[in-house]
Amino acid sequence: MGAGMMAAGGASAGQAVAGTGASAVELQAVLERFAGFGVKASGGAGDNACGDWLEGLLSAQGYACERQTFDVPFAEVRTATLTTGGVQAQVLPQGVVVPTGPGGLSGPLRLASSEAGLDGAIAVVVLPFRRWVSLADPTASKPVADALARGAAAAVLVTTGPTGEAIALNVSATKPGFQKPVAVLAPKDAEPFLEAARAGQGATLTVDATVGRRPAYNLICRMDRGAAKTLIVTTPRSGWFDCVAERGSGLAVWLTLAQRLAAAKPKVNLEFVVTSGHEYIYLGGEEYLAHKAPKPADTHAWVHIGASAAARDWHELGILRPLPSADPQRVLTATPQFIDQARAAFKGISGLEAVYPADRANAGGELVNVIAAGYGAAVGLYGGHRWFHTTGDDLRCSSGELVAPVADAFGAMITTILP
C-alpha cells in the first residue's frame, strides 16, 4: 500500500484520519495479496504468512509489533467423503475434527429427525435455511448432540443456506466438543443421501485426517504517543477457508486506519491488533483481552472491524449473479456516546447506517466480549454475506471499490471521537 492511503503530513490530525478518499486500486491490491495467502486456518501457512506480511507493513510505519502466541486445534485432511450406493460426495470435517481413520465408518444412514433408532447409524441433521455461523447457535449444535446421545456413531450436517455450498461452523476450542465424527454436507449434494437416509440404506463416512494442536499468534502493533489513554483497533485475520470478503475486507479497512493514524499523530496511544483463532469462537480475541489489552480505564475507545465489512451483494435468480453493490447484511453498533457520530459517518452506507446500541442484544463478534469486560467506549462491525464460511469466499466476493467507503467512514468516525 502506498502514499495514496496516507494523508498529507501538513494536515490536522482529524483531517489525516478522515483522509481524502481511500484508493480502491490500493485496497484491491490488499484483497488480492490477502487472497494469495490461501486458506487462513489458525496457525496454518496462510494465516502465518498474512501475519508476517502485516508485521512488516506496520513496522515500516513505526509501530512496535509483538506476537502473542497460543495453541489452537488443527486438522490436516487427506480424505473427507460420504458414500452410499454408487453416490459419493465431498464433505467438510467439522471442527474440532474427530477422524474416522482411513477406512471410514460404516452404518445405516438415518434422519436425525425420525423416530427410528439411531444406534450405530450415521445421523443426517438438516438445518433450516440460514446464513450459518457457529455451533454456539443451539439450533445447529443441539440436534447433533441429541443424535449422538441417541447412539449415532457419527453425524452429517446439511447446512441449508443461500449458496448451496457446505458452511463450516465456528466452534469452541476450550469447551468439550463432539466425541464422535461430525461432517458438513453441501445442500446441493444432499438429496441422494436424504433419500438413502429415509430408507435406512448403508453408507460410509470417511474423515481421514491428522489432528492435534499447533501454535497461532495475535499480532499486536503499538505506537506510544506518551498519552494517558489508548485507541484500540482490532480485526481477525483467520478463518476456515480463503475468507476474502469475510476477513480480507475488514483487514483492508484496518490497514488503512493503521496507516492514516500513524501519519495523523493523534493525542492517544495506538494499538492495532490482528487476531488469529477467530474460528474457535474468538479464541485469539479472548487471549488478547485477557492478557494484553490495556485496561478499560486506560482505553480511550475500542474499534472492532469484524466479519464481512464490505462483501458483494448477489441476485438470487436461480443462480447467484454478482452485483456491483455491497451486501447490506452487516451491522454497526456503538456505545451511547458514539452513536450519533457513527450514524453521521456511515450515512448512506447500506446496512451500516442503522447504528444500534452496542450491548449484549445487538453487538456481535469479539465486541460482545469487549463490552462484557467493561470497555464502555466502543464501536464494532459484524456481518455474514452469502458465501460466508464457504470455500467460495474468494475475490468475487469483495472489491476495493466496496471497501473504500467503509474505510473512509471509519476514518471519519474516528476523527470525531479523538480527543
Side-chain angles (χ1 to χ4, degrees), residues 251-327:
L251 190 144
V253 172
W254 179 90
L255 188 54
T256 302
L257 296 175
Q259 293 188 323
R260 286 183 178 178
L261 280 158
K265 301 181 180 179
K267 296 176 183 179
V268 290
N269 304 317
L270 303 176
E271 188 145 311
F272 275 77
V273 184
V274 61
T275 60
S276 187
H278 174 84
E279 65 271 39
Y280 296 106
I281 309 203
Y282 322 141
L283 181 60
E286 285 288 84
E287 289 290 320
Y288 170 68
L289 188 60
H291 303 295
K292 292 291 185 178
K295 301 300 182 185
D298 300 323
T299 300
H300 176 70
W302 191 312
V303 177
H304 181 69
I305 306 163
S308 309
R312 186 176 305 284
D313 205 358
W314 300 72
H315 267 148
E316 298 179 14
L317 300 172
I319 61 171
L320 290 175
R321 296 182 180 178
L323 291 165
S325 53
D327 191 322

Side-chain angles (χ1 to χ4, degrees), residues 77 79-82 89-93 156 166 183-186 189 205-207:
V77 179
T79 304
T81 58
L82 181 63
Q90 299 295 313
V91 294
L92 297 178
V156 173
V184 178
L185 175 66
D189 299 328
L205 174 67
T206 303
V207 177

Side-chain angles (χ1 to χ4, degrees), residues 47-410:
D47 177 40
N48 292 337
C50 181
D52 295 348
W53 169 60
L54 294 171
E55 184 173 18
L57 289 176
L58 268 70
S59 295
Q61 294 297 323
Y63 289 89
C65 296
E66 172 190 356
R67 297 187 180 194
Q68 179 190 17
T69 303
F70 53 95
D71 287 339
V72 295
F74 80 95
E76 293 180 357
V77 179
R78 289 177 287 274
T79 304
T81 58
L82 181 63
T83 305
T84 185
V87 181
Q88 184 177 86
Q90 299 295 313
V91 294
L92 297 178
Q94 174 57 51
V96 174
V97 174
V98 177
T100 64
L105 182 155
S106 297
L109 272 182
R110 297 196 191 281
L111 294 175
S113 59
S114 74
E115 296 181 0
L118 295 179
D119 287 346
I122 300 171
V124 180
V125 176
V126 181
L127 296 181
F129 186 95
R130 191 177 299 178
R131 299 186 185 191
W132 292 97
V133 177
S134 172
L135 284 172
D137 183 342
T139 309
S141 58
K142 189 175 185 301
V144 176
D146 288 349
L148 298 179
R150 288 165 58 198
V156 173
L157 270 166
V158 181
T159 49
T160 313
T163 65
E165 301 293 336
I167 302 173
L169 302 175
N170 289 354
V171 62
S172 174
T174 58
K175 296 178 182 179
F178 302 127
Q179 302 302 306
K180 299 175 183 178
V182 177
V184 178
L185 175 66
K188 68 179 184 180
D189 299 328
E191 189 53 40
F193 299 96
L194 296 177
E195 291 182 6
R198 294 182 192 108
Q201 295 176 5
T204 299
L205 174 67
T206 303
V207 177
D208 181 22
T210 299
V211 300
R213 297 184 73 89
R214 65 188 177 193
Y217 68 88
N218 295 331
L219 181 66
I220 304 168
C221 303
R222 299 187 179 98
M223 189 170 287
D224 187 354
R225 298 294 192 193
K229 294 195 174 185
T230 297
L231 174 67
I232 303 172
V233 184
T234 53
T235 197
R237 72 172 187 272
S238 69
W240 295 116
F241 307 114
D242 289 7
C243 308
V244 174
E246 177 194 355
R247 298 269 74 92
S249 62
L251 190 144
V253 172
W254 179 90
L255 188 54
T256 302
L257 296 175
Q259 293 188 323
R260 286 183 178 178
L261 280 158
K265 301 181 180 179
K267 296 176 183 179
V268 290
N269 304 317
L270 303 176
E271 188 145 311
F272 275 77
V273 184
V274 61
T275 60
S276 187
H278 174 84
E279 65 271 39
Y280 296 106
I281 309 203
Y282 322 141
L283 181 60
E286 285 288 84
E287 289 290 320
Y288 170 68
L289 188 60
H291 303 295
K292 292 291 185 178
K295 301 300 182 185
D298 300 323
T299 300
H300 176 70
W302 191 312
V303 177
H304 181 69
I305 306 163
S308 309
R312 186 176 305 284
D313 205 358
W314 300 72
H315 267 148
E316 298 179 14
L317 300 172
I319 61 171
L320 290 175
R321 296 182 180 178
L323 291 165
S325 53
D327 191 322
Q329 296 304 311
R330 48 186 177 172
V331 178
L332 190 65
T333 65
T335 48
Q337 70 272 44
F338 296 149
I339 287 178
D340 289 343
Q341 294 97 317
R343 285 176 177 163
F346 286 86
K347 184 177 180 180
I349 299 180
S350 62
L352 301 177
E353 57 192 345
V355 182
Y356 301 102
D359 54 27
R360 288 181 177 273
N362 298 311
E366 285 85 346
L367 195 69
V368 174
N369 297 325
V370 170
I371 298 298
Y375 291 82
V379 180
L381 175 154
Y382 66 95
H385 67 106
R386 280 178 179 79
W387 297 88
F388 194 65
H389 286 196
T390 74
T391 58
D393 186 2
D394 53 28
L395 280 167
R396 299 170 304 160
C397 296
S398 188
S399 72
E401 290 183 350
L402 294 175
V403 174
V406 180
D408 286 338
F410 268 106

